Amino acid sequence: MSYNMTQKIEFRTYVRGYEPKAAFPHSSTFARLGKCIFLLQKDERLQRTDLLIAQFGGKACLGLQLDMWTDSETHTVYAAVTQTMCIDPTEDPGSTAAQLFLQSELIDFDVFPETAKTGPNIRKWFAEDVLVRNKILCLAVSGVTPDGAADGQCGLVLIPDIREKVDTCLLHQLQRPVLYSIGLAGETSKNPDAKQLLRKHNRVVMLSRQALAFGKDVKKAQTAAGVPEKNLLTLETTAATRWGNQYKQVSTNCVLRSGIDPSLEKYQQNNRNNKDQTRLILIVAIVLLILFQESDPYCCDCFADTFPGLDQFRFAKRS
């Protein structure tokens, strides 16, 4: 719970509606409680890990997953490590095979401490910080699955004791085939029709960001169809490496097509009118310039600076 939340009069009124004598701890008390809970949870997890390693006699029984990403606004690199371990292996009386239960938990989540997200820096941080701080023996690690980024792969294979245990996670392995199948990967597109269709969907979304009137018209169409304000849909942006987001974008566009088509036609008509007006103004300017040249062929060449596209006209300076 955020300490700032406890200072709001609405929250205090809500709590005291159940307990009029409720007291709210000081901010330092909140901070100490959070730190104590974190340390207790860590100690309990380390004890379970040590017990599991002892049960397996030092053999591989832990799986680790590394995920790193960069904040597009602050360019800060974050890193998260998830541990998967066996818990309470039991045997079903009605079966001859033992049942294996797995548990995954986040063991590390923080800002990447190095300034550059490179393979050697990832190796140093993972081997000398994450593994040591969480008391994880490399012999007890059955596998490490980094995300699809090349730097994560490069960093983990630099650790000798787990080099042969590094593999890309299944979802990231599937990512490349999906991108190839829809034509977004490869030097030569294997599916140009799908690629062209996805580009059209993306152009519609980008138009809603560039022309606010178009986005407003799409929302007005939803309102006119009886969609409540809280349920109005917005066009989805996407990324080339996130096929789930690609699907969401296309799906949303298809749902809103009855509102997108007339809004797009209206935008094109208005934009066409603006282009026609600009073209008419340019034609009038050219005609006036030609007439002025015929009446005074010795005018200065400042008109060429005013109309840089009219290079075919040559003006002699006044002698």
Side-chain angles (χ1 to χ4, degrees):
M1 180 188 300
S2 171
Y3 172 71
N4 294 332
M5 181 179 178
T6 64
Q7 303 306 304
K8 294 182 178 180
I9 186 63
E10 297 86 354
F11 178 78
R12 289 174 175 260
T13 303
Y14 173 78
V15 173
R16 284 174 177 156
Y18 291 94
E19 178 53 61
K21 297 181 180 180
F24 298 90
H26 192 267
S27 59
S28 59
T29 304
F30 268 94
R32 288 195 296 268
L33 283 174
K35 186 175 182 179
C36 289
I37 292 174
F38 170 77
L39 293 176
L40 289 173
Q41 289 178 335
K42 181 179 179 180
D43 289 341
E44 189 271 339
R45 176 172 53 80
L46 293 179
Q47 291 177 7
R48 285 189 287 108
T49 303
D50 292 340
L51 180 61
L52 179 68
I53 293 176
Q55 289 177 349
F56 276 78
K59 296 180 180 179
C61 57
L62 299 175
L64 301 176
Q65 181 171 347
L66 169 65
D67 194 8
M68 305 182 71
W69 64 96
T70 304
D71 190 306
S72 58
E73 296 182 357
T74 63
H75 303 288
T76 303
V77 179
Y78 295 91
V81 180
T82 305
Q83 173 182 282
T84 301
M85 56 188 295
C86 307
I87 57 171
D88 298 331
T90 60
E91 188 172 343
D92 185 0
S95 174
T96 58
Q99 294 183 352
L100 191 63
F101 295 90
L102 302 178
Q103 174 179 297
S104 296
E105 52 190 331
L106 187 67
I107 64 173
D108 199 286
F109 175 70
D110 206 344
V111 176
F112 186 60
E114 304 293 339
T115 56
K117 183 187 170 187
T118 61
N121 287 341
I122 293 176
R123 181 209 64 79
K124 178 182 177 182
W125 164 75
F126 195 84
E128 301 178 7
D129 187 3
V130 176
L131 296 181
V132 173
R133 184 154 34 87
N134 292 280
K135 299 181 180 180
I136 297 176
L137 301 177
C138 291
L139 294 177
V141 177
S142 60
V144 185
T145 56
D147 53 21
D151 42 21
Q153 297 271 355
C154 178
L156 294 180
V157 297
L158 293 177
I159 304 176
D161 294 335
I162 62 174
R163 177 180 302 163
E164 302 299 328
K165 304 175 183 180
V166 178
D167 190 14
T168 308
C169 69
L170 178 60
L171 289 178
H172 283 88
Q173 287 179 341
L174 292 175
Q175 179 171 292
R176 300 306 298 176
V178 171
L179 292 178
Y180 275 106
S181 67
I182 59 179
L184 296 182
E187 295 182 2
T188 303
S189 177
K190 306 300 181 182
N191 194 344
D193 294 336
K195 182 178 181 180
Q196 186 67 20
L197 182 61
L198 290 174
R199 282 184 175 179
K200 291 181 179 179
H201 279 280
N202 192 53
R203 287 174 61 186
V204 170
V205 177
M206 295 305 297
L207 178 61
S208 68
R209 303 298 191 269
Q210 297 170 357
L212 298 181
F214 172 74
K216 291 181 179 179
D217 288 340
V218 174
K219 289 187 176 181
K220 289 179 181 179
Q222 297 180 66
T223 303
V227 179
E229 181 71 22
K230 63 179 181 179
N231 295 334
L232 294 179
L233 297 178
T234 56
L235 301 181
E236 297 285 344
T237 57
T238 186
T241 58
R242 296 294 182 268
W243 70 86
N245 196 245
Q246 293 275 0
Y247 173 81
K248 189 175 181 180
Q249 180 188 82
V250 175
S251 177
T252 303
N253 286 356
C254 291
V255 171
L256 298 178
R257 183 168 183 176
S258 59
I260 291 176
D261 288 347
S263 301
L264 182 59
E265 184 177 354
K266 178 181 177 182
Y267 169 79
Q268 291 175 339
Q269 182 63 37
N270 294 338
N271 193 47
R272 188 180 301 113
N273 293 337
N274 293 336
K275 287 183 178 179
D276 292 341
Q277 293 177 2
T278 304
R279 190 178 296 110
L280 179 61
I281 293 174
L282 183 59
I283 293 174
V284 172
I286 293 175
V287 172
L288 292 176
L289 192 58
I290 294 174
L291 295 176
F292 187 81
Q293 181 190 17
E294 292 178 352
S295 61
D296 187 2
Y298 299 103
C299 64
C300 64
D301 57 355
C302 62
F303 289 97
D305 298 331
T306 306
F307 301 97
L310 306 178
D311 296 334
Q312 66 271 28
F313 297 101
R314 296 289 184 268
F315 301 98
K317 292 185 178 180
R318 188 183 301 274
S319 57

